[in-house]
Amino acid sequence: MSDRDQTFAKVTQAIEPFNKKQAALTDDTSFARDLEWDSLTVMDFVAAIEDEFDIIITMNMQAEIETVGQLVDAVEKLKA
């Protein structure tokens, strides 16, 4: 399993408690469209990801991240 696959698994595991719609989670899953998250849910989830990976996701980065795949790539970049 590659590092990205491991990161994807951890990210999707972190999404589960917030996945009220039980949407299928792929690289293309959209936080706004598919999961229908509001801004408070996003903030709670970002905090959980930051704690899980010991990283900081800036507000500018958050604004650019729309899908699970983009988040996984951003986490991989920040971990490096």
Side-chain angles (χ1 to χ4, degrees), residues 53-70:
F53 292 99
D54 196 26
I55 58 173
I56 300 293
I57 301 174
T58 66
M59 293 301 281
N60 287 344
M61 264 186 137
Q62 287 179 42
E64 296 174 9
I65 297 171
E66 298 178 3
T67 66
V68 172
Q70 288 173 335

Side-chain angles (χ1 to χ4, degrees), residues 7 13-14 42 52 60 65 72-73 80:
T7 299
Q13 187 175 9
V42 170
E52 173 70 32
N60 287 344
I65 297 171
V72 170
D73 292 338

Side-chain angles (χ1 to χ4, degrees), residues 1-70:
M1 182 180 276
S2 72
D3 283 351
R4 190 183 188 285
D5 290 341
Q6 290 177 341
T7 299
F8 180 84
K10 283 185 176 181
V11 166
T12 55
Q13 187 175 9
I15 289 171
E16 283 306 324
F18 300 95
N19 189 2
K20 304 295 185 222
K21 302 205 46 97
Q22 296 300 305
L25 301 176
T26 68
D27 274 347
D28 296 325
T29 302
S30 164
F31 295 109
R33 184 186 62 245
D34 300 322
L35 299 175
E36 297 180 6
W37 287 0
D38 59 21
S39 58
L40 183 59
T41 303
V42 170
M43 295 306 287
D44 287 344
F45 175 69
V46 167
I49 289 295
E50 288 176 333
D51 288 347
E52 173 70 32
F53 292 99
D54 196 26
I55 58 173
I56 300 293
I57 301 174
T58 66
M59 293 301 281
N60 287 344
M61 264 186 137
Q62 287 179 42
E64 296 174 9
I65 297 171
E66 298 178 3
T67 66
V68 172
Q70 288 173 335

